[in-house]
Protein backbone atom coordinates (compact mmCIF):
# COMPACT_ATOMS: atom_id res chain seq x y z
CA UNK A 1 0.00 0.00 0.00
CA UNK A 2 2.80 2.36 0.96
CA UNK A 3 4.61 1.51 -2.28
CA UNK A 4 1.47 2.27 -4.26
CA UNK A 5 1.11 5.65 -2.55
CA UNK A 6 4.73 6.51 -3.40
CA UNK A 7 4.12 5.65 -7.02
CA UNK A 8 1.06 7.93 -7.09
CA UNK A 9 3.07 10.77 -5.54
CA UNK A 10 5.89 10.26 -8.09
CA UNK A 11 3.35 10.19 -10.95
CA UNK A 12 1.80 13.42 -9.69
CA UNK A 13 5.23 15.05 -9.48
CA UNK A 14 6.01 13.94 -13.04
CA UNK A 15 2.69 15.34 -14.21
CA UNK A 16 3.38 18.67 -12.48
CA UNK A 17 6.85 18.80 -14.07
CA UNK A 18 5.35 18.09 -17.47
CA UNK A 19 2.68 20.76 -17.01
CA UNK A 20 5.31 23.28 -15.87
CA UNK A 21 7.50 22.46 -18.89
CA UNK A 22 4.50 22.79 -21.23
CA UNK A 23 3.64 26.17 -19.69
CA UNK A 24 7.25 27.32 -20.12
CA UNK A 25 7.21 26.30 -23.80
CA UNK A 26 3.88 28.06 -24.26
CA UNK A 27 5.21 31.30 -22.79
CA UNK A 28 8.42 31.05 -24.85
CA UNK A 29 6.54 30.60 -28.12
CA UNK A 30 4.10 33.36 -27.22
CA UNK A 31 6.91 35.84 -26.55
CA UNK A 32 9.13 34.76 -29.43
CA UNK A 33 6.43 34.95 -32.08
CA UNK A 34 4.19 37.62 -30.56
CA UNK A 35 1.21 35.24 -30.45
CA UNK A 36 -1.86 35.28 -28.29
CA UNK A 37 -2.19 32.58 -25.62
CA UNK A 38 -4.81 30.85 -27.74
CA UNK A 39 -2.59 30.87 -30.84
CA UNK A 40 0.42 29.62 -28.91
CA UNK A 41 -1.65 26.81 -27.35
CA UNK A 42 -2.97 25.85 -30.75
CA UNK A 43 0.57 25.75 -32.10
CA UNK A 44 1.76 23.41 -29.33
CA UNK A 45 -1.18 21.06 -29.04
CA UNK A 46 -2.36 20.76 -32.63
CA UNK A 47 0.52 21.66 -34.92
CA UNK A 48 3.42 19.38 -34.12
CA UNK A 49 3.60 18.61 -37.81
CA UNK A 50 4.62 22.19 -38.52
CA UNK A 51 7.49 22.36 -36.02
CA UNK A 52 10.06 21.37 -38.62
CA UNK A 53 8.59 23.95 -41.00
CA UNK A 54 7.98 26.85 -38.65
CA UNK A 55 10.54 26.97 -35.84
CA UNK A 56 13.86 26.05 -37.42
CA UNK A 57 15.56 28.02 -40.16
CA UNK A 58 18.84 26.17 -40.52
CA UNK A 59 19.38 22.96 -42.45
CA UNK A 60 22.05 22.06 -39.88
CA UNK A 61 19.17 21.47 -37.46
CA UNK A 62 17.48 18.86 -39.63
CA UNK A 63 18.93 16.07 -37.53
CA UNK A 64 17.16 17.51 -34.49
CA UNK A 65 13.82 17.24 -36.25
CA UNK A 66 13.94 13.51 -36.88
CA UNK A 67 12.31 12.50 -33.57
CA UNK A 68 9.38 14.77 -34.43
CA UNK A 69 8.62 12.95 -37.65
CA UNK A 70 6.50 10.44 -35.75
CA UNK A 71 4.14 13.33 -35.01
CA UNK A 72 3.24 13.70 -38.69
CA UNK A 73 0.02 11.82 -39.43
CA UNK A 74 0.62 9.00 -41.85
CA UNK A 75 -0.83 9.86 -45.25
CA UNK A 76 -1.78 7.39 -47.92
CA UNK A 77 -1.19 9.29 -51.17
CA UNK A 78 -1.64 7.32 -54.34
CA UNK A 79 1.59 6.12 -55.92
CA UNK A 80 2.62 7.39 -59.35
CA UNK A 81 1.53 5.36 -62.32
CA UNK A 82 1.92 5.47 -66.08
CA UNK A 83 -1.79 5.89 -66.70
CA UNK A 84 -4.70 7.94 -65.45
CA UNK A 85 -5.93 6.63 -62.13
CA UNK A 86 -9.60 5.73 -62.01
CA UNK A 87 -11.82 4.20 -59.37
CA UNK A 88 -15.47 3.48 -58.80
CA UNK A 89 -16.76 5.99 -56.25
CA UNK A 90 -19.98 6.67 -54.46
CA UNK A 91 -21.07 9.75 -52.53
CA UNK A 92 -23.14 9.28 -49.37
CA UNK A 93 -24.83 11.86 -47.16
CA UNK A 94 -24.74 10.71 -43.53
CA UNK A 95 -27.38 11.30 -40.88
CA UNK A 96 -25.36 14.17 -39.36
CA UNK A 97 -25.24 15.91 -42.77
CA UNK A 98 -21.60 15.02 -43.47
CA UNK A 99 -20.73 14.04 -47.04
CA UNK A 100 -18.66 10.87 -47.45
CA UNK A 101 -16.86 9.69 -50.57
CA UNK A 102 -16.39 5.93 -50.88
CA UNK A 103 -13.93 4.20 -53.16
CA UNK A 104 -16.41 1.40 -53.73
CA UNK A 105 -20.16 1.18 -54.16
CA UNK A 106 -21.01 0.84 -50.48
CA UNK A 107 -23.99 2.10 -48.50
CA UNK A 108 -22.50 2.31 -45.00
CA UNK A 109 -20.29 5.33 -44.27
CA UNK A 110 -18.62 3.38 -41.46
CA UNK A 111 -16.94 1.29 -44.13
CA UNK A 112 -13.13 1.50 -44.31
CA UNK A 113 -13.61 2.45 -47.97
CA UNK A 114 -15.28 5.77 -47.04
CA UNK A 115 -13.82 9.12 -46.03
CA UNK A 116 -15.59 12.38 -45.14
CA UNK A 117 -15.19 15.13 -47.73
CA UNK A 118 -12.45 17.55 -46.67
CA UNK A 119 -13.72 20.93 -45.42
CA UNK A 120 -13.83 23.86 -47.83
CA UNK A 121 -11.37 25.70 -45.60
CA UNK A 122 -8.86 23.21 -44.14
CA UNK A 123 -8.58 23.33 -40.36
CA UNK A 124 -4.82 22.68 -40.41
CA UNK A 125 -3.94 26.10 -41.85
CA UNK A 126 -1.58 28.33 -39.88
CA UNK A 127 -1.65 31.59 -41.87
CA UNK A 128 1.53 33.68 -42.05
CA UNK A 129 4.64 31.50 -42.17
CA UNK A 130 8.34 31.75 -41.65
CA UNK A 131 10.02 31.07 -45.00
CA UNK A 132 13.46 29.55 -45.23
CA UNK A 133 16.27 29.82 -47.78
CA UNK A 134 17.94 26.60 -46.65
CA UNK A 135 18.62 23.97 -49.31
CA UNK A 136 18.70 20.68 -47.38
CA UNK A 137 20.08 17.58 -49.04
CA UNK A 138 17.50 15.38 -50.77
CA UNK A 139 18.27 12.59 -48.30
CA UNK A 140 17.41 14.92 -45.42
CA UNK A 141 14.23 16.06 -47.14
CA UNK A 142 13.23 12.44 -47.72
CA UNK A 143 13.53 11.74 -43.99
CA UNK A 144 11.79 14.98 -43.11
CA UNK A 145 8.70 14.25 -45.25
CA UNK A 146 8.16 10.47 -45.12
CA UNK A 147 4.45 10.85 -45.84
CA UNK A 148 5.14 12.07 -49.39
CA UNK A 149 4.77 9.30 -51.96
CA UNK A 150 7.25 8.75 -54.79
CA UNK A 151 6.75 11.23 -57.60
CA UNK A 152 6.02 14.06 -55.15
CA UNK A 153 2.43 12.92 -54.61
CA UNK A 154 0.47 13.69 -51.48
CA UNK A 155 -3.09 13.72 -50.15
CA UNK A 156 -4.77 13.62 -46.72
CA UNK A 157 -5.47 10.28 -45.06
CA UNK A 158 -8.37 11.43 -42.88
CA UNK A 159 -10.61 13.11 -45.47
CA UNK A 160 -11.34 12.99 -49.20
CA UNK A 161 -9.66 15.95 -51.01
CA UNK A 162 -11.85 18.37 -52.95
CA UNK A 163 -9.13 19.29 -55.48
CA UNK A 164 -6.68 17.29 -57.63
CA UNK A 165 -3.83 19.70 -58.30
CA UNK A 166 -0.61 19.45 -60.33
CA UNK A 167 2.21 21.86 -59.44
CA UNK A 168 4.18 22.53 -62.64
CA UNK A 169 7.72 23.94 -62.25
CA UNK A 170 9.67 25.03 -65.37
CA UNK A 171 13.31 24.35 -64.61
CA UNK A 172 16.95 24.32 -65.64
CA UNK A 173 20.12 24.40 -63.49
CA UNK A 174 18.45 25.60 -60.28
CA UNK A 175 19.01 22.61 -57.97
CA UNK A 176 19.61 24.65 -54.81
CA UNK A 177 16.45 26.69 -55.38
CA UNK A 178 14.44 23.56 -56.14
CA UNK A 179 15.48 22.00 -52.82
CA UNK A 180 14.53 25.22 -51.03
CA UNK A 181 11.11 25.26 -52.67
CA UNK A 182 10.46 21.59 -51.88
CA UNK A 183 11.54 22.18 -48.28
CA UNK A 184 8.98 24.95 -47.88
CA UNK A 185 6.06 23.87 -50.05
CA UNK A 186 5.38 20.22 -49.16
CA UNK A 187 4.14 20.98 -45.61
CA UNK A 188 1.95 23.79 -47.01
CA UNK A 189 0.30 21.54 -49.58
CA UNK A 190 -0.18 18.87 -46.91
CA UNK A 191 -2.02 21.30 -44.64
CA UNK A 192 -4.17 22.49 -47.55
CA UNK A 193 -5.56 18.92 -47.82
CA UNK A 194 -5.06 18.61 -51.58
CA UNK A 195 -4.57 15.58 -53.79
CA UNK A 196 -1.40 17.01 -55.31
CA UNK A 197 1.67 16.15 -57.34
CA UNK A 198 4.81 18.19 -58.01
CA UNK A 199 6.21 18.06 -61.55
CA UNK A 200 9.56 19.57 -62.51
CA UNK A 201 9.91 20.07 -66.27
CA UNK A 202 13.60 20.38 -67.12
CA UNK A 203 14.74 21.77 -70.47
CA UNK A 204 17.72 19.81 -71.74
CA UNK A 205 20.82 21.45 -73.16
CA UNK A 206 21.84 25.11 -73.29
CA UNK A 207 19.46 26.49 -75.93
CA UNK A 208 17.23 29.48 -75.17
CA UNK A 209 15.01 28.76 -72.19
CA UNK A 210 11.28 28.51 -72.97
CA UNK A 211 9.40 28.81 -69.68
CA UNK A 212 5.92 28.92 -71.22
CA UNK A 213 6.41 25.85 -73.37
CA UNK A 214 7.80 23.90 -70.42
CA UNK A 215 4.60 24.67 -68.52
CA UNK A 216 2.53 23.43 -71.46
CA UNK A 217 4.60 20.25 -71.50
CA UNK A 218 4.13 19.84 -67.75
CA UNK A 219 0.37 20.05 -68.23
CA UNK A 220 0.40 17.46 -71.03
CA UNK A 221 2.67 14.99 -69.22
CA UNK A 222 1.01 15.33 -65.78
CA UNK A 223 -2.36 14.50 -67.35
CA UNK A 224 -0.89 11.17 -68.45
CA UNK A 225 -0.19 10.29 -64.82
CA UNK A 226 -3.29 11.49 -62.95
CA UNK A 227 -6.66 13.02 -63.78
CA UNK A 228 -5.88 16.49 -62.43
CA UNK A 229 -8.59 19.14 -62.18
CA UNK A 230 -6.34 22.17 -61.97
CA UNK A 231 -2.76 23.32 -62.42
CA UNK A 232 -0.47 25.65 -60.51
CA UNK A 233 2.34 27.03 -62.71
CA UNK A 234 5.12 27.85 -60.30
CA UNK A 235 8.52 29.55 -60.71
CA UNK A 236 11.18 27.68 -58.77
CA UNK A 237 12.48 30.83 -57.02
CA UNK A 238 9.21 31.87 -55.29
CA UNK A 239 8.44 30.71 -51.73
CA UNK A 240 4.88 31.21 -50.39
CA UNK A 241 4.64 33.07 -47.08
CA UNK A 242 1.06 32.16 -46.13
CA UNK A 243 -0.66 28.77 -46.33
CA UNK A 244 -4.08 30.47 -46.64
CA UNK A 245 -2.98 31.22 -50.21
CA UNK A 246 -4.62 27.92 -51.13
CA UNK A 247 -3.41 26.09 -54.23
CA UNK A 248 -6.88 24.88 -55.24
CA UNK A 249 -9.04 25.06 -58.37
CA UNK A 250 -10.14 28.67 -59.05
CA UNK A 251 -13.50 29.74 -60.48
CA UNK A 252 -11.55 32.16 -62.69
CA UNK A 253 -7.83 32.05 -63.61
CA UNK A 254 -5.95 33.19 -60.52
CA UNK A 255 -2.70 35.11 -60.29
CA UNK A 256 -1.20 33.74 -57.08
CA UNK A 257 2.03 35.72 -56.55
CA UNK A 258 0.41 39.10 -55.89
CA UNK A 259 2.90 40.46 -53.35
CA UNK A 260 6.59 39.57 -53.83
CA UNK A 261 9.32 40.94 -51.57
CA UNK A 262 11.50 41.88 -54.56
CA UNK A 263 8.78 44.31 -55.68
CA UNK A 264 8.17 45.58 -52.12
CA UNK A 265 5.00 43.46 -51.95
CA UNK A 266 3.27 45.45 -54.68
CA UNK A 267 2.21 44.57 -58.21
CA UNK A 268 4.73 45.91 -60.75
CA UNK A 269 1.77 46.45 -63.08
CA UNK A 270 -1.86 45.37 -63.01
CA UNK A 271 -1.80 42.97 -65.97
CA UNK A 272 1.07 40.86 -64.65
CA UNK A 273 0.40 37.11 -64.66
CA UNK A 274 3.90 35.79 -63.97
CA UNK A 275 5.46 34.01 -61.02
CA UNK A 276 2.74 31.67 -59.78
CA UNK A 277 -0.65 31.21 -61.45
CA UNK A 278 -3.57 28.78 -61.27
CA UNK A 279 -6.02 27.55 -63.90
CA UNK A 280 -8.46 24.68 -64.10
CA UNK A 281 -8.11 22.07 -66.81
CA UNK A 282 -11.10 23.55 -68.66
CA UNK A 283 -9.75 27.10 -68.45
CA UNK A 284 -6.32 26.03 -69.65
CA UNK A 285 -7.78 24.18 -72.60
CA UNK A 286 -10.05 27.07 -73.56
CA UNK A 287 -7.16 29.58 -73.71
CA UNK A 288 -5.02 26.97 -75.55
CA UNK A 289 -2.42 27.05 -72.81
CA UNK A 290 0.62 29.32 -72.84
CA UNK A 291 2.21 30.46 -76.12
CA UNK A 292 5.19 28.40 -77.29
CA UNK A 293 6.84 31.17 -79.36
CA UNK A 294 8.65 32.97 -76.52
CA UNK A 295 12.26 31.76 -76.32
CA UNK A 296 14.31 33.69 -73.78
CA UNK A 297 13.06 35.86 -70.94
CA UNK A 298 9.85 37.90 -71.02
CA UNK A 299 6.59 38.30 -72.89
CA UNK A 300 4.83 34.99 -72.30
CA UNK A 301 2.96 36.07 -69.17
CA UNK A 302 1.60 39.24 -70.79
CA UNK A 303 0.51 37.12 -73.75
CA UNK A 304 -1.26 34.75 -71.33
CA UNK A 305 -3.07 37.64 -69.63
CA UNK A 306 -4.52 38.59 -73.02
CA UNK A 307 -5.43 34.99 -73.84
CA UNK A 308 -7.39 34.75 -70.62
CA UNK A 309 -9.41 37.90 -71.32
CA UNK A 310 -9.85 36.99 -74.97
CA UNK A 311 -11.48 33.71 -73.82
CA UNK A 312 -13.99 35.62 -71.67
CA UNK A 313 -12.33 35.05 -68.31
CA UNK A 314 -11.01 37.59 -65.84
CA UNK A 315 -7.96 37.25 -63.61
CA UNK A 316 -8.69 37.07 -59.87
CA UNK A 317 -6.30 37.48 -56.95
CA UNK A 318 -6.15 36.90 -53.22
CA UNK A 319 -5.37 39.91 -51.04
CA UNK A 320 -1.79 41.16 -50.69
CA UNK A 321 -1.81 40.02 -47.05
CA UNK A 322 -2.42 36.42 -48.16
CA UNK A 323 -0.76 36.07 -51.59
CA UNK A 324 2.77 36.90 -50.40
CA UNK A 325 6.03 35.36 -51.64
CA UNK A 326 9.74 35.58 -51.01
CA UNK A 327 11.99 35.47 -54.09
CA UNK A 328 15.26 33.57 -53.88
CA UNK A 329 18.06 35.73 -55.22
CA UNK A 330 19.94 34.38 -58.21
CA UNK A 331 22.01 35.50 -61.16
CA UNK A 332 20.98 35.62 -64.81
CA UNK A 333 20.97 32.16 -66.37
CA UNK A 334 22.87 31.59 -69.60
CA UNK A 335 20.28 30.92 -72.29
CA UNK A 336 17.60 32.97 -70.56
CA UNK A 337 18.51 36.47 -71.69
CA UNK A 338 15.72 38.91 -72.47
CA UNK A 339 13.89 38.14 -75.71
CA UNK A 340 14.70 41.18 -77.91
CA UNK A 341 11.57 40.78 -80.09
CA UNK A 342 9.07 40.11 -77.30
CA UNK A 343 7.29 43.46 -77.69
CA UNK A 344 6.85 42.92 -81.41
CA UNK A 345 5.51 39.42 -80.70
CA UNK A 346 3.03 40.81 -78.19
CA UNK A 347 1.62 43.18 -80.79
CA UNK A 348 0.86 40.18 -83.00
CA UNK A 349 -0.40 37.95 -80.17
CA UNK A 350 -4.06 37.73 -81.27
CA UNK A 351 -3.02 36.11 -84.54
CA UNK A 352 -1.64 33.13 -82.64
CA UNK A 353 -4.19 32.45 -79.87
CA UNK A 354 -5.76 29.51 -81.73
CA UNK A 355 -2.67 28.04 -83.36
CA UNK A 356 0.12 28.47 -80.80
CA UNK A 357 -0.32 26.60 -77.53
CA UNK A 358 -1.09 23.12 -76.22
CA UNK A 359 -2.50 22.19 -79.64
CA UNK A 360 0.87 22.80 -81.34
CA UNK A 361 3.31 21.22 -78.86
CA UNK A 362 6.41 19.60 -80.36
CA UNK A 363 8.97 18.15 -77.97
CA UNK A 364 10.77 14.97 -76.96
CA UNK A 365 10.72 13.43 -73.50
CA UNK A 366 14.24 12.19 -72.82
CA UNK A 367 13.73 10.93 -69.30
CA UNK A 368 11.11 10.58 -66.55
CA UNK A 369 12.23 10.21 -62.93
CA UNK A 370 9.79 9.45 -60.12
CA UNK A 371 11.86 10.93 -57.29
CA UNK A 372 10.53 10.89 -53.77
CA UNK A 373 9.60 14.58 -53.58
CA UNK A 374 8.84 15.31 -57.25
CA UNK A 375 8.44 13.85 -60.72
CA UNK A 376 11.07 15.05 -63.20
CA UNK A 377 10.53 15.29 -66.93
CA UNK A 378 13.70 15.98 -68.95
CA UNK A 379 12.63 17.29 -72.35
CA UNK A 380 14.26 18.45 -75.54
CA UNK A 381 12.91 21.49 -77.40
CA UNK A 382 14.02 22.42 -80.92
CA UNK A 383 13.44 26.16 -81.40
CA UNK A 384 13.53 25.97 -85.21
CA UNK A 385 11.04 23.10 -85.26
CA UNK A 386 8.71 24.87 -82.84
CA UNK A 387 8.74 28.18 -84.72
CA UNK A 388 8.32 26.53 -88.12
CA UNK A 389 5.25 24.65 -86.93
CA UNK A 390 3.36 27.73 -85.69
CA UNK A 391 1.09 29.51 -88.13
CA UNK A 392 -1.06 32.61 -87.82
CA UNK A 393 -4.78 32.02 -87.48
Amino acid sequence: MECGMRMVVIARKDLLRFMFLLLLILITIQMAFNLSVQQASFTIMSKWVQISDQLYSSSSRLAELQPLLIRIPKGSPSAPSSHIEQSTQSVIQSDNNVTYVCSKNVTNVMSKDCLPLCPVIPDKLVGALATYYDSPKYSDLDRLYPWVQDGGRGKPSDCYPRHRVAIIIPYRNRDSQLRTLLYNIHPILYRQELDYGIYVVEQNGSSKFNRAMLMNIGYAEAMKIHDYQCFIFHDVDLIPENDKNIYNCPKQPRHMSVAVDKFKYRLPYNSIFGGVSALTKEQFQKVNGFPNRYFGWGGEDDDMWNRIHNAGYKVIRYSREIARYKMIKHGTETGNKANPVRFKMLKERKKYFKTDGINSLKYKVLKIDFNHLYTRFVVDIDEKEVMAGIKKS
Side-chain angles (χ1 to χ4, degrees), residues 52-53 56-69 134-145 179 183:
S52 62
D53 184 43
Y56 295 92
S57 60
S58 173
S59 58
S60 64
R61 297 179 178 176
L62 285 172
E64 301 173 20
L65 302 180
Q66 303 312 312
L68 297 174
L69 293 180
D134 298 317
S135 301
K137 296 178 181 179
Y138 285 113
S139 57
D140 290 330
L141 289 172
D142 290 344
R143 291 196 299 270
L144 194 60
Y145 305 135
R179 284 182 280 123
Y183 180 37

Side-chain angles (χ1 to χ4, degrees), residues 131-133 167 169 174 177-178 180-182 184-185 188 211 233-241 245 247 255-263 265 272-277 301 323-330:
T131 53
Y132 306 118
Y133 294 110
I167 316 298
I169 303 171
R174 298 279 186 88
Q177 294 176 20
L178 177 59
T180 300
L181 177 60
L182 295 170
N184 283 270
I185 203 168
I188 294 174
R211 173 178 174 271
F233 301 99
H234 207 299
D235 283 355
V236 72
D237 58 359
L238 288 177
I239 310 300
E241 295 185 42
N245 186 10
Y247 283 36
H255 181 225
M256 306 285 288
S257 50
V258 178
V260 180
D261 64 340
K262 179 180 178 180
F263 305 119
Y265 294 106
I272 190 173
F273 198 70
V276 184
S277 57
D301 293 320
R324 297 169 66 89
Y325 288 79
K326 287 262 184 16
M327 180 178 285
I328 306 172
K329 295 180 180 179
H330 57 85

Side-chain angles (χ1 to χ4, degrees), residues 16 53 83 93 136 156 162 192 201 230 239 241 245 259 263 269 272 277 286 299 311 363 372:
L16 288 173
D53 184 43
H83 62 279
Q93 198 78 18
R162 291 174 178 265
Q192 292 181 352
V201 191
C230 46
I239 310 300
E241 295 185 42
N245 186 10
F263 305 119
Y269 54 97
I272 190 173
S277 57
K286 189 173 181 180
Y363 63 96
H372 179 211

Side-chain angles (χ1 to χ4, degrees), residues 76-330:
S76 55
S78 51
S81 64
S82 59
H83 62 279
I84 293 178
E85 300 170 2
Q86 296 177 336
S87 62
T88 302
Q89 297 175 344
S90 58
V91 179
I92 303 174
Q93 198 78 18
S94 67
D95 294 336
N96 58 353
N97 205 32
V98 176
T99 301
Y100 284 80
V101 180
C102 307
S103 59
K104 298 180 180 179
N105 288 321
V106 299
T107 57
N108 183 3
V109 297
M110 299 304 293
S111 168
K112 64 180 181 180
D113 299 310
C114 298
L115 285 173
L117 191 63
C118 292
V120 176
I121 301 177
D123 56 12
K124 297 182 177 70
L125 300 181
V126 176
L129 305 169
T131 53
Y132 306 118
Y133 294 110
D134 298 317
S135 301
K137 296 178 181 179
Y138 285 113
S139 57
D140 290 330
L141 289 172
D142 290 344
R143 291 196 299 270
L144 194 60
Y145 305 135
W147 41 269
V148 178
Q149 292 288 311
D150 285 348
R153 298 285 299 279
K155 67 179 180 180
S157 60
D158 56 351
C159 66
Y160 189 87
R162 291 174 178 265
H163 307 274
R164 300 188 300 273
V165 185
I167 316 298
I168 309 296
I169 303 171
Y171 174 87
R172 185 165 64 184
N173 301 330
R174 298 279 186 88
D175 182 68
S176 176
Q177 294 176 20
L178 177 59
R179 284 182 280 123
T180 300
L181 177 60
L182 295 170
Y183 180 37
N184 283 270
I185 203 168
H186 267 295
I188 294 174
L189 298 174
Y190 176 86
R191 293 194 297 272
Q192 292 181 352
E193 296 180 338
L194 305 166
D195 178 357
Y196 73 90
I198 295 180
Y199 298 91
V200 175
V201 191
E202 180 176 349
Q203 183 173 337
N204 186 53
S206 57
S207 59
K208 295 177 184 176
F209 192 67
N210 192 325
R211 173 178 174 271
M213 188 170 177
L214 291 176
M215 293 190 287
N216 283 343
I217 295 171
Y219 160 82
E221 293 299 320
M223 285 300 300
K224 297 176 184 178
I225 293 176
H226 191 40
D227 187 18
Y228 288 107
Q229 298 166 304
C230 46
F231 299 82
I232 309 294
F233 301 99
H234 207 299
D235 283 355
V236 72
D237 58 359
L238 288 177
I239 310 300
E241 295 185 42
N242 194 311
D243 62 6
K244 292 183 179 179
N245 186 10
I246 302 178
Y247 283 36
N248 60 9
C249 301
K251 293 181 179 179
Q252 296 280 340
R254 181 189 297 135
H255 181 225
M256 306 285 288
S257 50
V258 178
V260 180
D261 64 340
K262 179 180 178 180
F263 305 119
K264 299 181 179 180
Y265 294 106
R266 297 181 181 275
L267 287 173
Y269 54 97
N270 186 61
S271 60
I272 190 173
F273 198 70
V276 184
S277 57
L279 294 95
T280 65
K281 174 183 174 182
E282 292 74 18
Q283 292 163 2
F284 198 66
Q285 290 176 339
K286 189 173 181 180
V287 303
N288 196 20
F290 287 89
N292 298 315
R293 299 179 300 129
Y294 292 85
F295 284 83
W297 181 87
E300 75 279 0
D301 293 320
D302 295 324
D303 195 313
M304 188 61 166
W305 173 278
N306 285 279
R307 287 177 176 236
I308 289 168
H309 286 270
N310 183 70
Y313 296 119
K314 64 177 182 179
V315 174
I316 60 175
R317 293 183 172 110
Y318 287 126
S319 70
R320 286 192 309 175
E321 290 71 30
I322 297 296
R324 297 169 66 89
Y325 288 79
K326 287 262 184 16
M327 180 178 285
I328 306 172
K329 295 180 180 179
H330 57 85

